[in-house]
Every structure is written in structure tokens, then in C-alpha cells.
Amino acid sequence: MRTPRRTLAAAVVAAVVLPLSACGSSGDSGGSTDASGKVEGDITFQTWNLRANFKPYFDGLVADFEKKYPGTHVRWIDQPAEGYADKISADAAGGTLPDVVNVSPDLVAPLAKAGLALDLDKAAAKYRPEYLDGAWASHRIPGMTGTYAFPWYLNTGPLFYNKSLFREAGLNPDQPPRTYAELFDDALQMARQSKGRVATLANVPTVEDFGRYGAELMNRQGTAFAFNDAKGVELLTKYKELYDAKALDPQALTATPESTGKKFLTGAVAMNPGSALDLDNFKKQAPNLYKNIGITDQITSTGHVNMYVMGVMVNSRTKHTAAAVAFAHYVTDAQNQMSFAKKVAIFPSTAGSLDDPYFAKEDGTDETRVRIAAAKSLKSAVNYTPVLFSDQMKTALRNEVAKALQGKESPKAALDNAVSACDRLLQQQG
């Protein structure tokens, strides 16, 4: 099952391949890693498609920081979502990368390899305890030591399920599946009872599914992928069984979030990831579904759901390391993350913040129901998407998964081919 990326700017995340030779080699920072000096100087802060909706928030954030540190001046620049990865690549190559940059893990990886991302384990270790373990770890790069961005806002999505369809299939509507083993059993029963009319799932497995199932995604050195291990093959074999039994929607190979949403709306699919916005849609367009809606965590056999994370990176070549680190921390500290989270449906990455009544106390509204469910699961969530896993790699995996489900290749052969293709692409990243 795929949880669609619903973070503010991350909907269009693309892999960025920097011309590393133009940026310097790994470990060649060219600047100071000492953030203990006086917080002063002019710095630039770049965000990712946030000005249109959140200008007052960021204007206030900058003003408050400058008031706290009178010797500083922060110039805030915002880049559009389209072409953001290319813009970062061009700035990195041209030596014009801002001092503090809004990044996702896949964008920070090539910058870290090029020596352009400050290692916060060295420069800002004192702040480490302020953040959730999984969030801090999300900006570590396989094969490298260090952490290369402060974690900022998080997101995840609960699963919706149709209690009525569960009931009709003889399943307990108040005990939805929580592990993949339970999911597979329930899905096959749903398909049998409905004579193939109702599928439980509408998406093929993605790399996040392999992670949540317990497959090893990459080797520890970050030099090769490994999701063709026994666990990975087992997962894809199970999906093939679901596909043959129509427990996986026949159109899953070409599914989009929109198409799966429509199938869930019409009762052709029993489970689907979503958000509070979907609940409002159910209420308006499918009142019967809304009356029977169930909310549960993502399926996982590891005990940890998948999360999406945004980060704030410090340019290792900034001339004002102390100011840049102080500002990156300020943007992502508990108080400012809570303030931002109350303006939009995201979650703070700071330790303890998810225990705030805003994320824990029911008030009877649909939006709060979903927010509480997501916040609870995020406390121990993991970013399963490897930071080095590009969009091209996602396509390669999807193509091989499709061949396995259609019976053109065995699950083992399909994953072997996918891993080989991803390894080739990895080598091209440098």
C-alpha cells in the first residue's frame, strides 16, 4: 500500500544529480564547522513553495530571530515547487547555494556527498535530543557519517477502511489488519466472499512497503540495494497471490491516488490511505461510506509506520556558520514547529510535541480524528524511502513489480532485475 506524499512542497520531489566535480569532494566543506561563535551576520534562507500561503508566518519568524540576535539579518527567498531540484543543483554548481536551505532527504544526499551540507552531528550536536530519533536519522546518508539537516515538519497518513465491506466479508469491522500477514488473510477472504467484486488494496507495493515488511532496502555502506532479499521476495509473492485472486485491484498496475480514491469512494476497494480532506469528501459524496468509515494505522510488520520528512540544511560554506546554524535550529525548534503545525496539516519533528493536546485530545471533528491517529503513529515512525532512491529507481521497481504480478517474471527475478537497475542508476549518481 502506498501512502501518498502529502507534505506541503514535497508533492513534486525529484531526484537531484549534482555535477559533483563542480562542487568539491565529500568532506571538503570549504567553510567553518564551528557554530559556537557569536551569532551575527547576513544570511539567506531558502524555502520550497511556501511564500504564497505562509508569508506572514515566515516574515514573523525572521523578524523574531533578528530581534533575538540584533547583529543578524536574514534574507528570505522562496522558490517555486516546479524545478526546485534543478535550482538547487544549479546553485550548488555555481557556488550560489543559500546559507540555509529547505530540503528533503533525497535532495540533501548529493549536497552532503559534495561536501556542501554541514554535518550537524559535529556542528550542532547539542540540539540532537530535541528531535524525534526517526526524524533526526532521516537526514543521514548511507556510506557517510553524520547528519546533514535539521528535521523540520513531518507527515504520514492513516489508512481508511470500509467497515461495511469488512462486515459483509465476515471480518470484524472493529479489528482491521495491522500486519501484512493479517492483511493478506483478510484480503483473500474479502475477495472470496465478494466473488472478486471487492479488492482490499488498489496499489502495487512500493519501496516503502518493502521497508515496512522488513526487507533490507540497502546495504549499510549505501553502495547497493538489497530489497531482493528473502523478505522482499516473500512480499512480492504474496502480492502476486492477491493479484491472481482479485484481492488486489486489477487496475493497480496503472493506479494513481485519484483513481484509487474513486474506487474506495464507490466501494470497489476496502482500504485506502488518506487525510482529513478525504473525510470531508466522503461526507459530501458518499454518506454511506462516511457512516461506515474506519481509521487505522498503516500496515507494518516492523511496528514502525512510514513518515515523510522535510529538513533545513546549513550550507557548509556559509561565511556565518554560527548564525546559519542558530537560524536553522530556530526554524525547527519546538515552539516554532508547533506554531507552523497549527497553520497547516503537518506534524512537528521535535520530541514531546506530539503529546500536545492539539495532537492528542479529541474534539469530535473529523480533522482531529485523523490528526490524532497520524500523530500517535509518528512518534516511532521511520522514513523508509532510502535517501538515495531516485524517481528513476521508483519507476524501475514499479515496472519489475508489474511484470511479476502479470506472471511475466518470477518475483525473485523481478526484484533481482529491479535491484540491478537501481544499482546502475546509483553508480551514475556518483
Side-chain angles (χ1 to χ4, degrees), residues 108-130:
V108 83
L111 296 171
K113 286 186 173 183
L116 291 174
L118 189 67
D119 179 1
L120 300 181
D121 285 341
K122 292 180 178 178
K126 65 181 180 179
Y127 299 127
R128 163 71 188 85
E130 296 180 21

Side-chain angles (χ1 to χ4, degrees), residues 3 14 44 48 59 83 93 97-98 102 107 109 118 120 122 171 175 199 215 236 247 262 269 395 417 429:
T3 301
T44 52
W48 186 353
D59 284 343
L97 195 67
N102 177 192
L107 295 185
L118 189 67
L120 300 181
K122 292 180 178 178
L171 299 169
Q175 292 183 4
L236 188 50
K262 288 179 181 177
V269 171
T395 299
N417 290 337
Q429 288 182 2

Side-chain angles (χ1 to χ4, degrees), residues 90-161:
D91 284 344
T96 56
L97 195 67
D99 299 282
V100 180
V101 187
N102 177 192
V103 292
S104 56
D106 58 326
L107 295 185
V108 83
L111 296 171
K113 286 186 173 183
L116 291 174
L118 189 67
D119 179 1
L120 300 181
D121 285 341
K122 292 180 178 178
K126 65 181 180 179
Y127 299 127
R128 163 71 188 85
E130 296 180 21
Y131 300 88
L132 294 169
D133 289 341
W136 186 266
S138 66
H139 291 93
R140 292 175 180 153
I141 315 301
M144 299 181 66
T145 58
T147 300
Y148 294 92
F150 284 100
W152 193 9
Y153 56 86
L154 311 176
N155 223 327
T156 191
L159 275 175
F160 292 128
Y161 67 98

Side-chain angles (χ1 to χ4, degrees), residues 160-171:
F160 292 128
Y161 67 98
N162 188 323
K163 290 186 174 183
S164 179
L165 294 178
F166 270 65
R167 198 177 293 112
E168 290 172 10
L171 299 169

Side-chain angles (χ1 to χ4, degrees), residues 15 50 80 87 133 164 168 200 212 253 266-267 325 351 385 393 425:
L50 297 177
K87 173 63 176 171
D133 289 341
S164 179
E168 290 172 10
T200 299
R212 288 195 300 253
L253 303 183
T266 60
V325 169
T385 306
M393 295 173 190
L425 290 166

Side-chain angles (χ1 to χ4, degrees), residues 390 392-393 396 420-430:
S390 69
Q392 287 175 296
M393 295 173 190
S420 294
C422 292
D423 284 347
R424 286 194 298 273
L425 290 166
L426 183 64
Q427 295 305 312
Q428 292 173 18
Q429 288 182 2

Side-chain angles (χ1 to χ4, degrees), residues 6-9 49-50 53-54 57-58 152-155 276-277 336-348 358-359 367 371:
R6 295 183 181 275
T7 51
L8 300 178
N49 195 33
L50 297 177
N53 293 320
F54 305 104
Y57 171 79
F58 285 100
W152 193 9
Y153 56 86
L154 311 176
N155 223 327
L277 298 176
N336 286 314
Q337 287 211 47
M338 277 299 301
S339 177
F340 194 39
K342 290 181 178 180
K343 297 181 181 301
V344 65
I346 50 89
F347 300 86
Y358 182 71
F359 297 110
E367 182 178 359
R371 183 168 65 239

Side-chain angles (χ1 to χ4, degrees), residues 171-243:
L171 299 169
N172 188 335
D174 297 318
Q175 292 183 4
R178 295 186 175 277
T179 67
Y180 279 93
E182 294 172 353
L183 172 68
F184 297 145
D185 288 343
D186 287 357
L188 291 172
Q189 182 169 329
M190 182 87 66
R192 284 194 301 269
Q193 292 296 110
S194 67
K195 294 181 170 53
R197 181 182 61 83
V198 178
T200 299
L201 307 178
N203 291 297
V204 299
T206 63
V207 72
E208 292 90 352
D209 285 287
F210 287 95
R212 288 195 300 253
Y213 193 71
E216 183 181 358
L217 301 181
M218 287 194 84
N219 65 17
R220 292 191 177 185
Q221 295 76 30
T223 57
F225 290 94
F227 50 80
N228 59 338
D229 64 2
K231 279 285 186 182
V233 174
E234 183 177 278
L235 177 67
L236 188 50
T237 301
K238 289 290 187 181
Y239 263 86
K240 168 63 173 165
E241 185 180 352
L242 298 187
Y243 187 74

